[in-house]
């Protein structure tokens, strides 16, 4: 019988991020506590730019955006937000959406699978994803449960389960 396998990836649905950003922008324009603070959130190239007239306000903008991401099912581990920076009279936060598993992180996951996973499970790094294969589907499910229980510092999803 052929090996069963699945891929571990770190992908974010760009449309969902866009929807969360639009919802956050709408909420900022409607909420009373953001009136007159110049609070905005928008795409700036590949980055997300948040602006407001005080450090607390710009952090509140980030909080609103994070809430919208969670409601849309996007892990906050994929959001890499910087510290508030003073630019003229405005405070700004630049945030990026992290995608793909770095070689270093892929090696960490492969080591976890080797050390703590069931015997006979193989993990291979393939570009920015990790292919996990085994003869037993039960072993693959055990690996998924193991990785879900780990507190990794990046978001992972399981795809192409065959």
């Amino acid at each position: 019988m052929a090996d069963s396998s699945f891929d571990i990836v770190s992908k974010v649905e760009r449309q969902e991020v866009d929807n969360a950003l639009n919802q956050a922008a709408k909420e900022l324009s409607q909420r009373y506590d953001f009136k007159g603070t110049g609070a905005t959130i928008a795409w700036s190239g590949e980055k997300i730019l948040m602006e407001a007239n005080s450090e607390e306000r710009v952090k509140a903008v980030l909080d609103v955006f994070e809430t919208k991401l969670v409601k849309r099912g996007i892990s906050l581990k994929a959001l890499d937000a910087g510290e508030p920076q003073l630019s003229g009279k405005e405070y700004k936060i630049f945030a990026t959406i992290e995608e793909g598993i770095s070689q270093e992180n892929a090696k960490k996951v492969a080591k976890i699978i080797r050390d703590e996973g069931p015997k006979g499970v193989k993990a291979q790094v393939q570009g920015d994803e990790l292919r996990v294969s085994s003869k037993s589907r039960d072993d693959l499910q055990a690996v998924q449960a193991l990785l879900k229980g780990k507190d990794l510092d990046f978001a992972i999803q399981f795809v192409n389960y065959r």
Side-chain angles (χ1 to χ4, degrees):
M1 186 174 136
D3 282 3
S4 300
S5 69
F6 67 88
D7 295 334
I8 300 173
V9 297
S10 182
K11 293 201 183 330
V12 176
E13 189 76 34
R14 173 78 178 207
Q15 185 61 50
E16 290 297 326
V17 174
D18 208 29
N19 290 344
L21 187 127
N22 291 336
Q23 286 180 339
K26 185 175 182 183
E27 184 170 323
L28 293 179
S29 70
Q30 292 176 344
R31 270 183 42 182
Y32 178 75
D33 55 338
F34 284 111
K35 293 277 188 240
T37 61
T40 61
I41 182 169
W43 285 105
S44 174
E46 284 297 304
K47 294 184 175 187
I48 298 164
L49 171 65
M50 291 163 262
E51 295 179 303
N53 63 3
S54 73
E55 191 172 344
E56 291 77 29
R57 281 284 162 241
V58 79
K59 285 182 179 176
V61 171
L62 176 61
D63 187 50
V64 168
F65 182 54
E66 287 176 344
T67 304
K68 299 300 179 190
L69 286 175
V70 168
K71 283 185 179 175
R72 292 230 157 245
I74 297 171
S75 172
L76 292 181
K77 292 177 182 177
L79 180 70
D80 181 24
E83 289 299 311
Q85 301 166 341
L86 183 60
S87 172
K89 293 181 178 178
E90 297 278 307
Y91 281 87
K92 296 181 178 185
I93 293 179
F94 285 100
T96 55
I97 302 294
E98 301 286 323
E99 285 197 296
I101 300 176
S102 68
Q103 290 291 325
E104 180 183 308
N105 287 337
K107 287 178 183 173
K108 281 185 201 170
V109 173
K111 183 171 176 17
I112 290 171
I113 293 170
R114 257 196 329 274
D115 295 349
E116 302 175 32
K119 299 292 176 233
V121 176
K122 297 185 284 295
Q124 301 137 342
V125 178
Q126 297 181 336
D128 62 350
E129 56 186 44
L130 195 67
R131 164 90 26 104
V132 180
S133 57
S134 171
K135 292 200 181 313
S136 163
R137 285 180 170 243
D138 291 343
D139 287 350
L140 292 180
Q141 290 175 338
V143 167
Q144 285 183 353
L146 169 73
L147 293 176
K148 283 178 184 172
K150 292 288 177 189
D151 186 27
L152 302 170
D153 54 351
F154 54 97
I156 59 172
Q157 293 87 32
F158 306 112
V159 296
N160 295 341
Y161 188 76
R162 307 186 188 47

